[in-house]
Amino acid sequence: MTATSLPAPPSGTPGHHGRTALVTGAASGIGAACSLRLAAAGAHVRALDRDAAGLDELVRRASGLPGTVEAVVLDLTDLDAAEQAAAGADILVNNAGIQLVRPVQDFPPDAFHTMLTIMLEAPFRLIRGALPHMYERGWGRVVNISSVHGLRASAYKSAYVTAKHGLEGLSKTVALEGAAHGVTSNCVGPGYVRTPLVEKQLADQAAAHSLSVEDVLTDVLLRDTALKRLVEPEEVAEAVAYLCAPHASFITGTTLVMDGGWTAH
């Protein structure tokens, strides 16, 4: 499966015709793959990102799929606008994220604040905006793209680890509150995914340690992972599609971990 391939729903996969899905961080990586996968299942996808050019390319790639993709250009630090953008969504995929690697004593406070705003407070506001419609219809799916760092910590990633641990707690709370209304809430927790964010980490660490990108991948990023490869965005999108499908209606308040054996230690 390549990063440029268009996903198609497996034979017999229940569709989402008539459903509206909102995917954040949709211009590339996991968000783009999720948008295409849900559109392939017939959903109308609101693809939200601050990268207008990336969204235009996503809309082009979605041409001809059973569903549709609509570009929504928005910066998630505008929390009021984020909450409003989630109104009417049947499916919400909180995916947007950023990364900065620094020791705690050197971590810029403004960067810490921004990362928690985008990766924890914005998901709360998006969920808050989506739930009234979901409750009214008696059906909804909230899928939060967490990380193995929602379950484990790594040095120098204080903001990212804090945000992902908080997202796991938020997701469980929404699961408990939403159960009586037909709404499930779960996390997907991948290891390192082949995204622009991870590829930048590889390049930065290779330069910092005078190593090749391949050595950084196997000896640093994937040191504790049994499967020595990156997760493909389309694999994460399939997990999201599974959690949104009718046969996953009894799965809520948990995390589907895709870490290649990292947490098996």
Side-chain angles (χ1 to χ4, degrees):
M1 189 179 296
T2 67
T4 57
S5 62
L6 289 178
S11 177
T13 297
H16 288 298
H17 296 276
R19 303 286 192 199
T20 295
L22 175 64
V23 180
T24 69
S28 64
I30 295 170
C34 289
S35 297
L36 293 170
R37 180 62 180 82
L38 292 170
H44 170 66
V45 180
R46 298 177 192 162
L48 189 153
D49 205 292
R50 61 184 179 181
D51 178 3
L55 290 178
D56 288 343
E57 173 62 16
L58 176 66
V59 171
R60 185 196 65 77
R61 292 175 64 195
S63 177
L65 292 177
T68 58
V69 173
E70 169 193 359
V72 179
V73 181
L74 182 67
D75 189 324
L76 286 178
T77 58
D78 186 343
L79 295 170
D80 290 339
E83 183 170 327
Q84 293 169 11
D90 304 295
I91 296 167
L92 172 61
V93 181
N94 282 313
N95 165 70
I98 56 176
Q99 180 63 287
L100 181 65
V101 180
R102 295 283 191 284
V104 170
Q105 70 271 20
D106 298 327
F107 210 100
D110 58 341
F112 192 94
H113 173 75
T114 298
M115 290 178 68
L116 263 67
T117 298
I118 292 171
M119 295 196 295
L120 184 54
E121 192 169 1
F124 159 71
R125 294 292 295 271
L126 287 154
I127 292 169
R128 188 173 187 272
L131 283 181
H133 171 76
M134 293 180 180
Y135 285 4
E136 181 181 352
R137 296 194 68 177
W139 191 95
R141 297 287 185 267
V142 177
V143 182
N144 300 296
I145 305 301
S146 181
S147 165
V148 66
H149 284 114
L151 307 173
R152 297 286 189 272
S154 287
Y156 312 122
K157 298 180 180 179
S158 56
Y160 193 88
V161 170
T162 299
K164 293 303 187 183
H165 272 66
L167 187 63
E168 295 272 347
L170 173 63
S171 185
K172 292 174 184 177
T173 300
V174 174
L176 296 178
E177 294 184 11
H181 304 279
V183 174
T184 66
S185 176
N186 293 286
C187 289
V188 175
Y192 288 103
V193 184
R194 192 184 305 280
T195 65
L197 186 151
V198 168
E199 288 172 345
K200 184 178 185 303
Q201 285 187 64
L202 284 170
D204 288 349
Q205 293 202 36
H209 300 291
S210 299
L211 296 171
S212 69
V213 169
E214 292 74 17
D215 286 343
V216 171
L217 180 63
T218 57
D219 299 340
V220 180
L221 260 64
L222 302 181
R223 181 187 59 196
D224 296 323
T225 302
L227 298 176
K228 301 298 183 184
R229 69 171 179 85
L230 296 175
V231 186
E232 297 297 335
E234 291 83 359
E235 293 178 286
V236 181
E238 286 300 327
V240 171
Y242 170 72
L243 291 172
C244 291
H247 50 249
S249 62
F250 205 68
I251 301 173
T252 196
T254 192
T255 300
L256 199 168
V257 181
M258 306 176 66
D259 68 353
W262 186 340
T263 54
H265 288 281

